[in-house]
Amino acid sequence: MNKFSQLPTILGISFLISANALANHNTQEAMEARVSAVGQLSIADDNTGSVATDAGPVDGSAVYAASCGACHGAGVAGAPVLGKADDWADRIEQGIGALAEHAINGYQGSMGVMPARGGNPALSDEEVTAAVQHMVDQVQ
Ligand code: HEC
């Protein structure tokens, strides 16, 4: 076997490598196109003043389930019960702003103590407000 007899094999391998590189390049191009499309979307959000964050819109029912339902689901410790209109009518008259303020900062009422952010300091104002809105929506 002389050294030239391996040439076709070497050429074949280098073709495969470059074809593979081309395929990877296409994949990366496709990825860049998808990423830049997302980038444009968030710029559009900024322009329209949308409140959506990078993590997407806040899901009030999910925040409620994770941090509020333990008390508000069954009225534990005097908490107004989710979906029970009588428990909420007078409270809702204060307006959603006052309700959210009480939920964010906590307060002591005649029924008991509403802990700030339901006792979960990791929640943002936006998340607590979305949970309050979710609770109000259940009785309106
Ligand atoms: C440890 C129990 C507990 C948890 C957890 C809890 N709450 Fe409360 N919450 C209460 C109690 C008790 C009251 C009633 C206080 C009163 O009026 O005497 C209350 C009242 C409220 C009110 C009515 C405020 C008003 O001005 O009448 C809102 C709104 C509210 N909670 C929202 C939330 C949200 C949102 C969460 C979750 C982020 C949450 N709560 C988690 C116990 C809890």
Side-chain angles (χ1 to χ4, degrees):
M1 199 189 278
N2 66 41
K3 61 181 175 179
F4 294 111
S5 69
Q6 292 183 345
L7 200 56
T9 311
I10 291 168
L11 286 176
I13 289 172
S14 67
F15 172 76
L16 282 178
I17 290 170
S18 60
N20 194 28
L22 202 64
N24 283 342
H25 176 73
N26 283 342
T27 305
Q28 189 172 347
E29 231 174 43
M31 264 171 59
E32 281 169 3
R34 284 197 295 271
V35 169
S36 73
V38 171
Q40 282 160 14
L41 196 69
S42 58
I43 290 166
D45 279 351
D46 288 349
N47 287 342
T48 55
S50 162
V51 294
T53 62
D54 286 347
V58 175
D59 181 350
S61 75
V63 175
Y64 169 83
S67 300
C68 320
C71 291
H72 288 275
V76 172
V81 176
L82 185 78
K84 194 171 170 197
D86 284 354
D87 283 8
W88 285 97
D90 291 348
R91 298 179 186 276
I92 287 171
E93 280 177 16
Q94 305 174 85
I96 187 87
L99 291 177
E101 198 272 329
H102 283 160
I104 290 166
N105 297 321
Y107 84 108
Q108 162 92 63
S110 58
M111 298 293 290
V113 174
M114 165 62 207
R117 298 175 201 276
N120 182 355
L123 292 177
S124 67
D125 290 2
E126 195 186 7
E127 287 169 322
V128 176
T129 303
V132 172
Q133 184 66 60
H134 169 74
M135 294 161 90
V136 169
D137 285 348
Q138 308 312 305
V139 287
Q140 281 189 333

